[in-house]
Amino acid sequence: QGSDMVFKNLTCSGGHGLSLSVGQSTSDGSVNTVKNVTFSDCSVTNSANGIHIKTHSDAGTGSISDITYSNIKLSKITKYGINVQEDYEDGSPTGSPLGDIPISNLVLEEVTGTMSGGSSSMAVYILCGTDGCSEWKWSGVSITNAKKDSSCNFTPSGYSC
């Protein structure tokens, strides 16, 4: 949980990327709330994901809002350049998303780079629950060398999936 955070000039290597994981409480929606967070001028290399936002479908309610990723450089990303999923349960994705922790006003500006994964690498993966995603504005998103086509069940404004 948290609000009004800025992460600037980070270099991440060998992990899961610039990540938000929200939904640890089954009873208190206030602890499942993240608002007004900015990641800017960061690089992610040799990682599974570049940007990763996940919500836990086995949690209670909450929200993720006013999140900005600006001037993010990706290289040697093995799984997903951008990975947004609303379907985590018991530590793994289920493929059945819920919109109980909606993600609104997700802004991506100048997120660029390359994938280096095997046959399953994907530039963008978005899996939103019913009414779980709204008001996303993306510009300058360009991730190359993915082996699989991007998959999106929600399309951000300014991006073609």
Side-chain angles (χ1 to χ4, degrees):
Q1 77 187 39
S3 63
D4 305 320
M5 294 178 273
V6 175
F7 300 93
K8 189 170 181 153
N9 297 318
L10 297 176
T11 300
C12 299
S13 180
H16 288 243
L18 301 172
S19 299
L20 296 175
S21 177
V22 180
Q24 302 301 313
S25 175
T26 58
S27 60
D28 184 358
S30 68
V31 301
N32 295 335
T33 300
V34 175
K35 181 175 182 167
N36 194 26
V37 177
T38 299
F39 293 87
S40 67
D41 305 316
C42 300
S43 65
V44 182
T45 187
N46 295 315
S47 297
N49 304 291
I51 293 171
H52 190 192
I53 300 173
K54 65 181 178 180
T55 65
H56 296 259
S57 54
D58 53 352
T61 60
S63 66
I64 299 173
S65 61
D66 306 318
I67 308 300
T68 300
Y69 289 87
S70 178
N71 192 30
I72 309 298
K73 307 294 185 208
L74 309 177
S75 63
K76 300 179 184 174
I77 305 300
T78 59
K79 290 178 81 177
Y80 301 105
I82 300 165
N83 181 8
V84 183
Q85 293 179 255
E86 293 188 315
D87 69 333
Y88 273 72
E89 188 173 305
D90 296 326
S92 299
T94 65
S96 299
L98 294 177
D100 294 350
I101 302 174
I103 303 168
S104 63
N105 195 23
L106 175 62
V107 176
L108 272 63
E109 305 165 330
E110 301 305 318
V111 177
T112 60
T114 60
M115 305 294 297
S116 68
S119 60
S120 64
S121 67
M122 185 180 294
V124 176
Y125 182 63
I126 299 170
L127 184 61
C128 295
T130 303
D131 298 324
C133 299
S134 65
E135 301 176 43
W136 293 12
K137 299 168 200 79
W138 292 15
S139 62
V141 174
S142 177
I143 301 167
T144 61
N145 204 36
K147 302 303 184 211
K148 291 178 74 175
D149 291 339
S150 292
S151 174
C152 308
N153 75 347
F154 176 81
T155 303
S157 171
Y159 184 78
S160 179
C161 196

